[in-house]
Amino acid sequence: MNIFFDCDFTLTGIDGRLRPFVTDVFRMLREEGHSVYIWSGVRVPWDIYRNFGLDQYINGVYLKPLEDHHELLNHYRIPVVPDFVVDDNVDPVEAFGGHTVPPYIYVEEPDDHIMRAYHAFQAFVVRRSTEP
């Protein structure tokens, strides 16, 4: 499956640090055979790809449509349709399906929201596999 993660305030905090469990979740998703993508509505987030050593887990990095989500995938040259989106903004999650996380602002507080998103994705995979 194609899992798309938003960048700012979803994968990284207000201070630019990586949210807890991102590397672990990306590794597990890839080990399970899924494709991991990152995107952002304000920039192409190459820094996340490069600065945190996540390149081995990521299949692509893109600018994210902020409206007309399905219609703009081609315009933004996104080669696949997201099966599951993890974002701090509800709009892309509603457009494609997925899991909304709270913005990663309180970076000194314990945070397991990316791991929760992983568990929501696992439940989604199970539900999808049992559909007729």
Side-chain angles (χ1 to χ4, degrees):
M1 292 199 174
N2 301 311
I3 304 105
F4 280 69
F5 288 84
D6 176 55
C7 178
D8 302 308
F9 306 120
T10 298
L11 294 180
T12 58
I14 195 165
D15 63 354
R17 285 189 286 171
L18 199 60
R19 192 173 206 149
F21 302 110
V22 169
T23 304
D24 298 324
V25 166
F26 280 19
R27 179 185 45 76
M28 290 185 295
L29 289 169
R30 288 303 302 260
E31 287 174 356
E32 294 165 8
H34 303 292
S35 298
V36 175
Y37 300 88
I38 56 174
W39 60 3
S40 172
V42 295
R43 62 193 177 89
V44 179
W46 287 109
D47 58 325
I48 301 302
Y49 177 81
R50 294 183 180 126
N51 295 350
F52 295 108
L54 299 174
D55 52 316
Q56 61 188 318
Y57 306 116
I58 298 172
N59 294 80
V61 180
Y62 301 100
L63 188 62
K64 173 178 68 177
L66 296 177
E67 58 188 14
D68 300 325
H69 297 87
H70 289 273
E71 295 81 8
L72 290 175
L73 290 176
N74 269 348
H75 176 74
Y76 287 176
R77 297 193 172 135
I78 299 171
V80 297
V81 176
D83 294 305
F84 195 88
V85 172
V86 178
D87 204 307
D88 65 309
N89 181 335
V90 70
D91 293 340
V93 172
E94 286 180 353
F96 297 106
H99 184 80
T100 305
V101 297
Y104 187 42
I105 295 172
Y106 303 105
V107 297
E108 298 304 322
E109 299 295 319
D111 185 282
D112 67 348
H113 289 286
I114 292 297
M115 190 59 74
R116 291 182 194 192
Y118 172 76
H119 293 300
F121 173 71
Q122 294 300 311
F124 169 77
V125 170
V126 168
R127 279 192 314 275
R128 195 163 183 188
S129 70
T130 60
E131 291 176 352

